[in-house]
């Protein structure tokens, strides 16, 4: 594996901002689909203003938080449960954004913020861990100012696969997969609260291919996950993908 091979695998025309980042840094802590491609796909439909307060909910290794601060000049609260905020603080300092990114350990159901504090909440590859519960969106949008945005990328399905799963899905299936829902499900789940207006509920165009390409790139440095890569290859975009959601808190 050459550095050039990894760089080539992680360079994509439709993600120009992410493609400019050091490939070794990007693959240093893989946790789900490519975090920067995911957040860049979200930002293709979402607008944030310089200086805005943004919560990165379930930020993992805070790569998305660093990216948001550097690319969009927002102030980010990088909140995560499993990843030590001290490790994230080191990454944040190394990236030169310690004035704009604030790491903390936080449980998504016990967020230590004032209501109305954020202009936006962004969540990449994490919201499905806690956000399928009916009351959660009401809880978390309390932390948004009126008109504030909630933007989410999660693994999901094009449609409900029904009870007869294709073999490649059946052999990988665990209860977690029940949280891989389709855009129409998420739209209804959010809209029925009457608390937010849903502007976007779709699949990231070719998100499944991005996800596969990312796993194959991670494999080049021994950090891939072949069972997921095999599942995505066999599915070929028929069911699996990345769900993109954007909503605004109503006044
Ligand atoms: C698959 S990782 C994605 C991390 C990161 N956003 C990325 O894209 O690389 C999911 C993250 O969700 C976080 N998470 C899961 N349940 C959570 C909860 N109840 N409260 C806060 N974070 C949670 C985990 O700590 C983990 O870092």
């Amino acid at each position: 594996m050459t550095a050039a091979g990894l760089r080539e695998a992680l360079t994509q025309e439709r993600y120009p901002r992410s493609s400019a980042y050091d490939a070794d840094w990007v693959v240093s802590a893989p946790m789900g689909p490519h975090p920067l491609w995911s957040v860049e796909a979200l930002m293709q439909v979402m607008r944030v203003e310089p200086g805005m307060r943004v919560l990165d909910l379930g930020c993992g290794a805070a790569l998305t938080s660093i990216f948001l601060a550097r690319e969009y000049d927002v102030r980010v609260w990088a909140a995560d449960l499993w990843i030590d905020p001290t490790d994230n603080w080191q990454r944040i300092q190394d990236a030169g954004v310690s004035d704009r990114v604030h790491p903390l350990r936080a449980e998504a159901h016990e967020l230590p913020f004032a209501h109305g504090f954020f202009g936006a909440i962004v969540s990449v590859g994490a919201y499905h861990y806690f956000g399928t519960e009916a009351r959660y969106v009401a809880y978390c949008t309390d932390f948004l100012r009126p008109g504030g945005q909630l933007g989410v990328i999660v693994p999901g399905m094009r449609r409900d696969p029904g009870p007869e799963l294709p073999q490649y899905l059946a052999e990988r299936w665990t209860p977690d997969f029940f949280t891989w829902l389709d855009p129409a499900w998420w739209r209804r789940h959010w809209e029925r609260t009457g608390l937010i207006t849903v502007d976007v509920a779709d699949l990231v165009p070719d998100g499944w291919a991005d996800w596969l390409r990312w796993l194959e790139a991670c494999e080049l440095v021994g950090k891939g996950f072949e069972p997921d890569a095999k599942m995505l290859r066999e599915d070929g975009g028929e069911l699996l993908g990345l769900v993109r959601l954007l909503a605004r808190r109503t006044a």
Side-chain angles (χ1 to χ4, degrees):
M1 198 280 301
T2 62
L6 181 62
R7 201 162 49 246
E8 192 188 330
L10 292 181
T11 302
Q12 286 236 64
E13 228 170 78
R14 66 175 184 284
Y15 301 123
R17 291 174 187 257
S18 308
S19 299
Y21 280 68
D22 177 60
D24 289 321
W25 182 77
V26 175
V27 290
S28 59
M31 298 186 74
H34 191 314
L36 303 191
W37 289 349
S38 295
V39 77
E40 195 166 352
L42 180 61
M43 298 313 286
Q44 285 166 0
V45 298
M46 182 171 179
R47 280 181 68 91
V48 289
E49 303 300 331
M52 184 184 268
R53 286 187 292 271
V54 176
L55 171 61
D56 187 353
L57 183 55
C59 69
L63 270 60
T64 48
S65 315
I66 291 167
F67 181 85
L68 286 165
R70 285 174 67 161
E71 299 297 323
Y72 305 97
D73 199 20
V74 290
R75 290 177 283 166
V76 185
W77 278 257
D80 197 75
L81 185 61
W82 304 336
I83 302 297
D84 188 339
T86 305
D87 293 343
N88 281 347
W89 182 229
Q90 191 58 55
R91 262 185 290 273
I92 290 161
Q93 290 179 93
D94 293 346
V97 287
S98 54
D99 56 334
R100 279 167 289 155
V101 183
H102 314 290
L104 69 154
R105 191 182 302 277
E107 211 294 324
H109 301 88
E110 292 176 28
L111 295 174
F113 304 109
H115 285 177
F117 185 70
F118 292 107
I121 299 175
V122 163
S123 186
V124 172
Y127 192 85
H128 58 306
Y129 287 100
F130 37 80
T132 58
E133 203 273 324
R135 286 163 294 198
Y136 189 74
V137 78
Y139 170 76
C140 92
T141 51
D142 267 348
F143 299 95
L144 285 174
R145 61 167 168 71
Q149 303 164 86
L150 172 61
V152 165
I153 300 279
V154 278
M157 304 269 179
R158 189 175 296 279
R159 59 182 178 279
D160 188 325
E164 293 297 324
L165 293 176
Q167 181 57 25
Y168 61 87
L169 264 186
E171 65 195 28
R172 276 285 291 122
W173 199 268
T174 65
D176 275 358
F177 279 60
F178 288 115
T179 65
W180 291 18
L181 296 150
D182 58 85
W185 186 94
W186 282 106
R187 178 183 281 279
R188 176 170 152 71
H189 187 58
W190 281 6
E191 275 179 345
R192 68 198 306 190
T193 66
L195 299 170
I196 51 177
T197 304
V198 178
D199 292 323
V200 177
D202 66 1
L203 287 179
V204 173
D206 290 325
W208 72 272
D210 293 343
W211 189 355
L212 176 58
R213 184 173 173 148
W214 163 246
L215 289 172
E216 289 172 347
C218 291
E219 190 51 45
L220 294 175
V221 291
K223 292 181 179 175
F225 189 58
E226 181 50 27
D228 278 1
K230 176 174 177 288
M231 175 181 73
L232 285 162
R233 242 178 254 123
E234 291 183 21
D235 180 70
E238 176 63 27
L239 283 169
L240 298 166
L242 298 178
V243 174
R244 175 170 61 180
L245 305 165
L246 177 64
R248 271 169 298 124
R249 181 179 167 183
T250 49

